[in-house]
Each structure stands twice: as C-alpha cells, then as structure tokens.
Amino acid sequence: MTVGAASVYEAWVMALRAWARDPRHSLEGLPPLAVDSFPPDTYQRLLAHFHNAQAAVMERADEQCTRDVSRATSEHEMAQALLELRRAYARRLQLVRHPALPVELRSPMEHGVAEDIRRSQESLEREAASATVDVATRERQLRLVRSVRLTVLLDAEYPLEQLLDPAGSGGASVVEPDRIRSGTPEYPPATGSARRRRVVLE
C-alpha cells in the first residue's frame, strides 16, 4: 500500500470510528475508493472497521429501544421508540450507500443491512404477537409494530434523507396518524433485557 493509499485508508478508518461514536457524524469529503485502491487484506481490515462501527451503533440503538419501550405508557411513546430504531438502521443504510464506495463493496454491505432490517422487523412482530398482555393490547401492539415498520426503509421511494434531517422533519410523516393518536389506551410497562436486534414487547 502506497503512502497515498495509507492516507486514504486512515481517512476512512478515522471517519468510521467517529461515526461509531455518533452516527450523525458527517461522512462528506471522504476520498473515493475503487476495487484496486487497496490490496485484498487491507480491504478486509477496512470491512472489519465497517462491521465494528455498525455493531457499536446498533448495540446502543437496541438498548435504547428496549429501554424506551419498557417505559412506554402509550402507543405514541412506543411508536417514538420504534422510530428511533428505524433511524439507526437508516444511518446504517446511509453509511453503506456512501457514493465514495465502489459498487463491489457497497452492494454486499447494503444487502447485509437489508437482511438485518428484515430480521429485526420479523423479531419485533414475533415479540408483539407473543407478549404476555391481554389479547386486545397484544393486537394493538402488533398493529403498531407493523405501522411503524422498519422495512419501509427498503422501499425504493422512501425519503431516507428526510428521516435523517437534523430537525427531524421526516419523523411525523412515517407514523400513520389514524393509528397513533393522543389519548390512546395506556400500556402496562414492558420488561425485558436488551439483545442484538431484539426488542422485548410485553
């Protein structure tokens, strides 16, 4: 790896470490990469940094979602907790879709994030469907999980950048107003431990 390539590699690693600490960190201005920018072993190390950064962000997001859901006393509060989890996945998509990445790197990483999103949505629905609450509450929770679904991020026309706007202008539009209203029945507190891509709804 040349000195120039080393500088490019360092720029990406530093950016990924900063992103891992705060996924709102700007990734603008990163040097473009090509399939031959680094030797294969260097690319493997870079991919490890991508993986570690995403894992760190999702661990915090899962913990926060589990905590917020456990404290939710209304559908609105639960929807907001799920929306924050959606934002974390949106940040991951934003990362792996970075225009400076070669398609050979970008495509498999985006596929991996998409699979994580689908698995997480399936897990949320299973948890809602099996929650130890009365039938009516369980059905409301399942409808809620589906109305604030994570997989909407994979829709071709979904406004990803709008959702991630610092002002949060895209937040209200992703929750269906006919399902999330003020004055909805209260939920008993949910409990459960945080797990990777698993939020316990009870």
Side-chain angles (χ1 to χ4, degrees):
M1 187 167 57
T2 66
V3 174
S7 298
V8 170
Y9 179 83
E10 182 180 7
W12 275 93
V13 169
M14 291 178 64
L16 288 169
R17 287 174 176 169
W19 185 90
R21 293 190 296 271
D22 183 356
R24 296 170 298 179
H25 176 77
S26 175
L27 298 175
E28 293 184 5
L30 282 169
L33 300 178
V35 291
D36 58 353
S37 292
F38 311 122
D41 61 332
T42 302
Y43 256 126
Q44 287 301 316
R45 291 197 299 272
L46 183 61
L47 286 172
H49 284 288
F50 269 95
H51 171 79
N52 293 338
Q54 293 179 75
V57 167
M58 291 311 303
E59 182 176 1
R60 292 197 304 272
D62 288 340
E63 290 175 352
Q64 177 183 339
C65 190
T66 298
R67 182 172 59 252
D68 292 347
V69 165
S70 72
R71 297 171 179 172
T73 57
S74 68
E75 291 187 10
H76 176 74
E77 291 179 358
M78 187 174 290
Q80 291 303 310
L82 295 173
L83 180 56
E84 287 304 315
L85 184 61
R86 184 193 287 181
R87 284 197 178 96
Y89 277 112
R91 293 288 181 190
R92 287 184 62 188
L93 284 173
Q94 186 183 51
L95 172 68
V96 300
R97 290 174 178 172
H98 196 288
L101 294 172
V103 65
E104 293 85 353
L105 194 64
R106 188 166 63 243
S107 292
M109 287 200 296
E110 185 173 354
H111 176 75
V113 177
E115 286 301 302
D116 281 351
I117 290 171
R118 293 187 185 99
R119 282 194 295 266
S120 187
Q121 179 64 32
E122 291 171 359
S123 177
L124 286 169
E125 292 187 20
R126 284 196 303 271
E127 292 295 332
S130 61
T132 55
V133 291
D134 62 88
V135 174
T137 300
R138 187 162 59 242
E139 289 179 351
R140 287 200 306 272
Q141 288 183 348
L142 183 57
R143 286 197 300 271
L144 175 63
V145 166
R146 288 172 174 168
S147 70
V148 196
R149 62 188 175 94
L150 302 174
T151 49
V152 73
L153 294 170
L154 305 179
D155 293 351
E157 302 303 319
Y158 186 80
L160 191 66
E161 296 302 324
Q162 183 182 1
L163 175 65
L164 297 177
D165 184 272
S169 60
S173 66
V174 297
V175 180
E176 296 182 14
D178 60 331
R179 295 189 178 180
I180 311 302
R181 300 179 182 140
S182 59
T184 52
E186 292 189 349
Y187 283 122
T191 59
S193 59
R195 293 186 181 181
R196 186 88 176 109
R197 301 186 187 90
R198 181 174 182 270
V199 177
V200 176
L201 299 174
E202 292 188 342

PDB file of all heavy atoms in Angstrom, residues 58-84:
ATOM      1  N   MET A  58     -25.640  -0.148  16.515  1.00  0.00           N
ATOM      2  CA  MET A  58     -26.850  -0.931  16.719  1.00  0.00           C
ATOM      3  C   MET A  58     -26.981  -1.431  18.160  1.00  0.00           C
ATOM      4  O   MET A  58     -28.096  -1.553  18.677  1.00  0.00           O
ATOM      5  CB  MET A  58     -26.893  -2.106  15.745  1.00  0.00           C
ATOM      6  CG  MET A  58     -27.105  -1.700  14.293  1.00  0.00           C
ATOM      7  SD  MET A  58     -28.488  -0.528  14.041  1.00  0.00           S
ATOM      8  CE  MET A  58     -29.858  -1.429  14.754  1.00  0.00           C
ATOM      9  N   GLU A  59     -25.873  -1.706  18.803  1.00  0.00           N
ATOM     10  CA  GLU A  59     -25.953  -2.135  20.201  1.00  0.00           C
ATOM     11  C   GLU A  59     -26.579  -1.040  21.051  1.00  0.00           C
ATOM     12  O   GLU A  59     -27.464  -1.298  21.875  1.00  0.00           O
ATOM     13  CB  GLU A  59     -24.565  -2.498  20.736  1.00  0.00           C
ATOM     14  CG  GLU A  59     -24.592  -2.988  22.174  1.00  0.00           C
ATOM     15  CD  GLU A  59     -23.231  -3.433  22.676  1.00  0.00           C
ATOM     16  OE1 GLU A  59     -22.248  -3.346  21.902  1.00  0.00           O
ATOM     17  OE2 GLU A  59     -23.147  -3.859  23.839  1.00  0.00           O
ATOM     18  N   ARG A  60     -26.137   0.194  20.836  1.00  0.00           N
ATOM     19  CA  ARG A  60     -26.716   1.310  21.592  1.00  0.00           C
ATOM     20  C   ARG A  60     -28.178   1.526  21.211  1.00  0.00           C
ATOM     21  O   ARG A  60     -29.028   1.800  22.067  1.00  0.00           O
ATOM     22  CB  ARG A  60     -25.908   2.589  21.351  1.00  0.00           C
ATOM     23  CG  ARG A  60     -24.503   2.566  21.936  1.00  0.00           C
ATOM     24  CD  ARG A  60     -23.935   3.974  22.015  1.00  0.00           C
ATOM     25  NE  ARG A  60     -23.939   4.649  20.727  1.00  0.00           N
ATOM     26  CZ  ARG A  60     -22.947   4.579  19.832  1.00  0.00           C
ATOM     27  NH1 ARG A  60     -21.874   3.837  20.092  1.00  0.00           N
ATOM     28  NH2 ARG A  60     -23.017   5.232  18.701  1.00  0.00           N
ATOM     29  N   ALA A  61     -28.476   1.425  19.905  1.00  0.00           N
ATOM     30  CA  ALA A  61     -29.848   1.651  19.447  1.00  0.00           C
ATOM     31  C   ALA A  61     -30.798   0.604  20.022  1.00  0.00           C
ATOM     32  O   ALA A  61     -31.921   0.913  20.430  1.00  0.00           O
ATOM     33  CB  ALA A  61     -29.896   1.638  17.922  1.00  0.00           C
ATOM     34  N   ASP A  62     -30.361  -0.658  20.042  1.00  0.00           N
ATOM     35  CA  ASP A  62     -31.198  -1.725  20.595  1.00  0.00           C
ATOM     36  C   ASP A  62     -31.443  -1.515  22.084  1.00  0.00           C
ATOM     37  O   ASP A  62     -32.553  -1.709  22.583  1.00  0.00           O
ATOM     38  CB  ASP A  62     -30.532  -3.083  20.365  1.00  0.00           C
ATOM     39  CG  ASP A  62     -30.582  -3.520  18.910  1.00  0.00           C
ATOM     40  OD1 ASP A  62     -31.421  -2.992  18.167  1.00  0.00           O
ATOM     41  OD2 ASP A  62     -29.775  -4.386  18.524  1.00  0.00           O
ATOM     42  N   GLU A  63     -30.392  -1.126  22.788  1.00  0.00           N
ATOM     43  CA  GLU A  63     -30.537  -0.884  24.227  1.00  0.00           C
ATOM     44  C   GLU A  63     -31.499   0.273  24.488  1.00  0.00           C
ATOM     45  O   GLU A  63     -32.351   0.200  25.387  1.00  0.00           O
ATOM     46  CB  GLU A  63     -29.177  -0.590  24.850  1.00  0.00           C
ATOM     47  CG  GLU A  63     -28.249  -1.806  24.912  1.00  0.00           C
ATOM     48  CD  GLU A  63     -26.872  -1.458  25.427  1.00  0.00           C
ATOM     49  OE1 GLU A  63     -26.595  -0.239  25.594  1.00  0.00           O
ATOM     50  OE2 GLU A  63     -26.072  -2.374  25.665  1.00  0.00           O
ATOM     51  N   GLN A  64     -31.362   1.333  23.702  1.00  0.00           N
ATOM     52  CA  GLN A  64     -32.242   2.483  23.883  1.00  0.00           C
ATOM     53  C   GLN A  64     -33.686   2.116  23.571  1.00  0.00           C
ATOM     54  O   GLN A  64     -34.614   2.489  24.301  1.00  0.00           O
ATOM     55  CB  GLN A  64     -31.807   3.650  22.993  1.00  0.00           C
ATOM     56  CG  GLN A  64     -32.740   4.856  23.096  1.00  0.00           C
ATOM     57  CD  GLN A  64     -32.360   5.987  22.156  1.00  0.00           C
ATOM     58  OE1 GLN A  64     -31.221   6.072  21.700  1.00  0.00           O
ATOM     59  NE2 GLN A  64     -33.313   6.857  21.854  1.00  0.00           N
ATOM     60  N   CYS A  65     -33.896   1.371  22.481  1.00  0.00           N
ATOM     61  CA  CYS A  65     -35.256   0.996  22.105  1.00  0.00           C
ATOM     62  C   CYS A  65     -35.894   0.110  23.172  1.00  0.00           C
ATOM     63  O   CYS A  65     -37.050   0.304  23.554  1.00  0.00           O
ATOM     64  CB  CYS A  65     -35.253   0.293  20.752  1.00  0.00           C
ATOM     65  SG  CYS A  65     -36.913   0.038  20.073  1.00  0.00           S
ATOM     66  N   THR A  66     -35.145  -0.862  23.660  1.00  0.00           N
ATOM     67  CA  THR A  66     -35.665  -1.737  24.708  1.00  0.00           C
ATOM     68  C   THR A  66     -36.025  -0.928  25.946  1.00  0.00           C
ATOM     69  O   THR A  66     -37.080  -1.128  26.555  1.00  0.00           O
ATOM     70  CB  THR A  66     -34.633  -2.817  25.064  1.00  0.00           C
ATOM     71  OG1 THR A  66     -34.385  -3.618  23.914  1.00  0.00           O
ATOM     72  CG2 THR A  66     -35.136  -3.702  26.193  1.00  0.00           C
ATOM     73  N   ARG A  67     -35.159  -0.001  26.316  1.00  0.00           N
ATOM     74  CA  ARG A  67     -35.407   0.830  27.490  1.00  0.00           C
ATOM     75  C   ARG A  67     -36.639   1.716  27.290  1.00  0.00           C
ATOM     76  O   ARG A  67     -37.508   1.807  28.168  1.00  0.00           O
ATOM     77  CB  ARG A  67     -34.174   1.692  27.774  1.00  0.00           C
ATOM     78  CG  ARG A  67     -34.295   2.571  29.017  1.00  0.00           C
ATOM     79  CD  ARG A  67     -32.976   3.239  29.330  1.00  0.00           C
ATOM     80  NE  ARG A  67     -32.489   4.081  28.237  1.00  0.00           N
ATOM     81  CZ  ARG A  67     -31.445   3.779  27.459  1.00  0.00           C
ATOM     82  NH1 ARG A  67     -30.771   2.644  27.649  1.00  0.00           N
ATOM     83  NH2 ARG A  67     -31.061   4.599  26.505  1.00  0.00           N
ATOM     84  N   ASP A  68     -36.734   2.348  26.109  1.00  0.00           N
ATOM     85  CA  ASP A  68     -37.854   3.259  25.863  1.00  0.00           C
ATOM     86  C   ASP A  68     -39.178   2.507  25.750  1.00  0.00           C
ATOM     87  O   ASP A  68     -40.213   2.990  26.217  1.00  0.00           O
ATOM     88  CB  ASP A  68     -37.602   4.068  24.589  1.00  0.00           C
ATOM     89  CG  ASP A  68     -36.450   5.058  24.746  1.00  0.00           C
ATOM     90  OD1 ASP A  68     -36.022   5.290  25.899  1.00  0.00           O
ATOM     91  OD2 ASP A  68     -35.979   5.590  23.726  1.00  0.00           O
ATOM     92  N   VAL A  69     -39.150   1.329  25.119  1.00  0.00           N
ATOM     93  CA  VAL A  69     -40.369   0.537  25.017  1.00  0.00           C
ATOM     94  C   VAL A  69     -40.820   0.091  26.406  1.00  0.00           C
ATOM     95  O   VAL A  69     -42.012   0.074  26.720  1.00  0.00           O
ATOM     96  CB  VAL A  69     -40.151  -0.679  24.084  1.00  0.00           C
ATOM     97  CG1 VAL A  69     -41.266  -1.710  24.259  1.00  0.00           C
ATOM     98  CG2 VAL A  69     -40.095  -0.217  22.626  1.00  0.00           C
ATOM     99  N   SER A  70     -39.858  -0.282  27.257  1.00  0.00           N
ATOM    100  CA  SER A  70     -40.210  -0.749  28.603  1.00  0.00           C
ATOM    101  C   SER A  70     -40.858   0.349  29.427  1.00  0.00           C
ATOM    102  O   SER A  70     -41.623   0.073  30.351  1.00  0.00           O
ATOM    103  CB  SER A  70     -38.959  -1.266  29.325  1.00  0.00           C
ATOM    104  OG  SER A  70     -38.110  -0.198  29.688  1.00  0.00           O
ATOM    105  N   ARG A  71     -40.578   1.601  29.086  1.00  0.00           N
ATOM    106  CA  ARG A  71     -41.142   2.727  29.835  1.00  0.00           C
ATOM    107  C   ARG A  71     -42.379   3.314  29.170  1.00  0.00           C
ATOM    108  O   ARG A  71     -43.034   4.193  29.746  1.00  0.00           O
ATOM    109  CB  ARG A  71     -40.076   3.831  29.982  1.00  0.00           C
ATOM    110  CG  ARG A  71     -38.861   3.403  30.783  1.00  0.00           C
ATOM    111  CD  ARG A  71     -37.774   4.456  30.700  1.00  0.00           C
ATOM    112  NE  ARG A  71     -36.594   4.077  31.481  1.00  0.00           N
ATOM    113  CZ  ARG A  71     -35.437   4.742  31.461  1.00  0.00           C
ATOM    114  NH1 ARG A  71     -35.315   5.814  30.686  1.00  0.00           N
ATOM    115  NH2 ARG A  71     -34.406   4.333  32.187  1.00  0.00           N
ATOM    116  N   ALA A  72     -42.693   2.863  27.962  1.00  0.00           N
ATOM    117  CA  ALA A  72     -43.809   3.439  27.213  1.00  0.00           C
ATOM    118  C   ALA A  72     -45.138   3.158  27.901  1.00  0.00           C
ATOM    119  O   ALA A  72     -45.395   2.042  28.349  1.00  0.00           O
ATOM    120  CB  ALA A  72     -43.829   2.886  25.795  1.00  0.00           C
ATOM    121  N   THR A  73     -45.970   4.188  27.992  1.00  0.00           N
ATOM    122  CA  THR A  73     -47.303   4.027  28.575  1.00  0.00           C
ATOM    123  C   THR A  73     -48.400   4.359  27.571  1.00  0.00           C
ATOM    124  O   THR A  73     -49.576   4.412  27.925  1.00  0.00           O
ATOM    125  CB  THR A  73     -47.461   4.936  29.808  1.00  0.00           C
ATOM    126  OG1 THR A  73     -47.212   6.300  29.426  1.00  0.00           O
ATOM    127  CG2 THR A  73     -46.486   4.526  30.908  1.00  0.00           C
ATOM    128  N   SER A  74     -48.012   4.611  26.317  1.00  0.00           N
ATOM    129  CA  SER A  74     -48.994   4.906  25.280  1.00  0.00           C
ATOM    130  C   SER A  74     -48.461   4.437  23.941  1.00  0.00           C
ATOM    131  O   SER A  74     -47.264   4.173  23.790  1.00  0.00           O
ATOM    132  CB  SER A  74     -49.284   6.410  25.210  1.00  0.00           C
ATOM    133  OG  SER A  74     -48.135   7.104  24.721  1.00  0.00           O
ATOM    134  N   GLU A  75     -49.340   4.339  22.967  1.00  0.00           N
ATOM    135  CA  GLU A  75     -48.925   3.960  21.620  1.00  0.00           C
ATOM    136  C   GLU A  75     -47.966   4.995  21.030  1.00  0.00           C
ATOM    137  O   GLU A  75     -47.041   4.647  20.303  1.00  0.00           O
ATOM    138  CB  GLU A  75     -50.146   3.793  20.718  1.00  0.00           C
ATOM    139  CG  GLU A  75     -50.997   2.596  21.059  1.00  0.00           C
ATOM    140  CD  GLU A  75     -52.112   2.358  20.045  1.00  0.00           C
ATOM    141  OE1 GLU A  75     -52.099   3.013  18.992  1.00  0.00           O
ATOM    142  OE2 GLU A  75     -52.978   1.516  20.314  1.00  0.00           O
ATOM    143  N   HIS A  76     -48.213   6.247  21.334  1.00  0.00           N
ATOM    144  CA  HIS A  76     -47.334   7.298  20.805  1.00  0.00           C
ATOM    145  C   HIS A  76     -45.906   7.119  21.297  1.00  0.00           C
ATOM    146  O   HIS A  76     -44.955   7.201  20.512  1.00  0.00           O
ATOM    147  CB  HIS A  76     -47.854   8.675  21.217  1.00  0.00           C
ATOM    148  CG  HIS A  76     -46.955   9.802  20.801  1.00  0.00           C
ATOM    149  ND1 HIS A  76     -46.853  10.243  19.500  1.00  0.00           N
ATOM    150  CD2 HIS A  76     -46.073  10.549  21.521  1.00  0.00           C
ATOM    151  CE1 HIS A  76     -45.972  11.226  19.436  1.00  0.00           C
ATOM    152  NE2 HIS A  76     -45.482  11.423  20.644  1.00  0.00           N
ATOM    153  N   GLU A  77     -45.734   6.860  22.587  1.00  0.00           N
ATOM    154  CA  GLU A  77     -44.392   6.682  23.138  1.00  0.00           C
ATOM    155  C   GLU A  77     -43.721   5.438  22.572  1.00  0.00           C
ATOM    156  O   GLU A  77     -42.525   5.443  22.293  1.00  0.00           O
ATOM    157  CB  GLU A  77     -44.456   6.609  24.664  1.00  0.00           C
ATOM    158  CG  GLU A  77     -44.825   7.937  25.311  1.00  0.00           C
ATOM    159  CD  GLU A  77     -44.916   7.844  26.822  1.00  0.00           C
ATOM    160  OE1 GLU A  77     -44.732   6.727  27.370  1.00  0.00           O
ATOM    161  OE2 GLU A  77     -45.172   8.877  27.466  1.00  0.00           O
ATOM    162  N   MET A  78     -44.488   4.376  22.399  1.00  0.00           N
ATOM    163  CA  MET A  78     -43.915   3.167  21.821  1.00  0.00           C
ATOM    164  C   MET A  78     -43.520   3.395  20.368  1.00  0.00           C
ATOM    165  O   MET A  78     -42.470   2.944  19.906  1.00  0.00           O
ATOM    166  CB  MET A  78     -44.895   2.002  21.926  1.00  0.00           C
ATOM    167  CG  MET A  78     -44.299   0.673  21.497  1.00  0.00           C
ATOM    168  SD  MET A  78     -45.405  -0.725  21.799  1.00  0.00           S
ATOM    169  CE  MET A  78     -45.354  -0.785  23.585  1.00  0.00           C
ATOM    170  N   ALA A  79     -44.357   4.142  19.633  1.00  0.00           N
ATOM    171  CA  ALA A  79     -44.041   4.453  18.237  1.00  0.00           C
ATOM    172  C   ALA A  79     -42.755   5.259  18.134  1.00  0.00           C
ATOM    173  O   ALA A  79     -41.932   5.026  17.239  1.00  0.00           O
ATOM    174  CB  ALA A  79     -45.198   5.219  17.594  1.00  0.00           C
ATOM    175  N   GLN A  80     -42.566   6.202  19.048  1.00  0.00           N
ATOM    176  CA  GLN A  80     -41.349   7.007  19.024  1.00  0.00           C
ATOM    177  C   GLN A  80     -40.115   6.151  19.283  1.00  0.00           C
ATOM    178  O   GLN A  80     -39.060   6.359  18.688  1.00  0.00           O
ATOM    179  CB  GLN A  80     -41.442   8.139  20.056  1.00  0.00           C
ATOM    180  CG  GLN A  80     -42.456   9.213  19.695  1.00  0.00           C
ATOM    181  CD  GLN A  80     -42.176   9.830  18.333  1.00  0.00           C
ATOM    182  OE1 GLN A  80     -41.051  10.244  18.034  1.00  0.00           O
ATOM    183  NE2 GLN A  80     -43.198   9.877  17.486  1.00  0.00           N
ATOM    184  N   ALA A  81     -40.234   5.166  20.176  1.00  0.00           N
ATOM    185  CA  ALA A  81     -39.111   4.266  20.445  1.00  0.00           C
ATOM    186  C   ALA A  81     -38.758   3.466  19.203  1.00  0.00           C
ATOM    187  O   ALA A  81     -37.578   3.307  18.857  1.00  0.00           O
ATOM    188  CB  ALA A  81     -39.460   3.330  21.600  1.00  0.00           C
ATOM    189  N   LEU A  82     -39.774   2.967  18.500  1.00  0.00           N
ATOM    190  CA  LEU A  82     -39.527   2.206  17.275  1.00  0.00           C
ATOM    191  C   LEU A  82     -38.988   3.100  16.171  1.00  0.00           C
ATOM    192  O   LEU A  82     -38.170   2.666  15.357  1.00  0.00           O
ATOM    193  CB  LEU A  82     -40.820   1.521  16.828  1.00  0.00           C
ATOM    194  CG  LEU A  82     -41.360   0.455  17.791  1.00  0.00           C
ATOM    195  CD1 LEU A  82     -42.733  -0.017  17.325  1.00  0.00           C
ATOM    196  CD2 LEU A  82     -40.396  -0.722  17.882  1.00  0.00           C
ATOM    197  N   LEU A  83     -39.439   4.335  16.147  1.00  0.00           N
ATOM    198  CA  LEU A  83     -38.947   5.269  15.141  1.00  0.00           C
ATOM    199  C   LEU A  83     -37.463   5.547  15.323  1.00  0.00           C
ATOM    200  O   LEU A  83     -36.716   5.664  14.346  1.00  0.00           O
ATOM    201  CB  LEU A  83     -39.742   6.569  15.211  1.00  0.00           C
ATOM    202  CG  LEU A  83     -39.361   7.674  14.216  1.00  0.00           C
ATOM    203  CD1 LEU A  83     -39.444   7.167  12.785  1.00  0.00           C
ATOM    204  CD2 LEU A  83     -40.250   8.892  14.409  1.00  0.00           C
ATOM    205  N   GLU A  84     -37.006   5.638  16.572  1.00  0.00           N
ATOM    206  CA  GLU A  84     -35.579   5.851  16.806  1.00  0.00           C
ATOM    207  C   GLU A  84     -34.768   4.643  16.341  1.00  0.00           C
ATOM    208  O   GLU A  84     -33.654   4.803  15.823  1.00  0.00           O
ATOM    209  CB  GLU A  84     -35.326   6.124  18.291  1.00  0.00           C
ATOM    210  CG  GLU A  84     -35.780   7.499  18.748  1.00  0.00           C
ATOM    211  CD  GLU A  84     -35.141   8.611  17.919  1.00  0.00           C
ATOM    212  OE1 GLU A  84     -33.909   8.560  17.674  1.00  0.00           O
ATOM    213  OE2 GLU A  84     -35.865   9.526  17.489  1.00  0.00           O
TER     214      GLU A  84
END
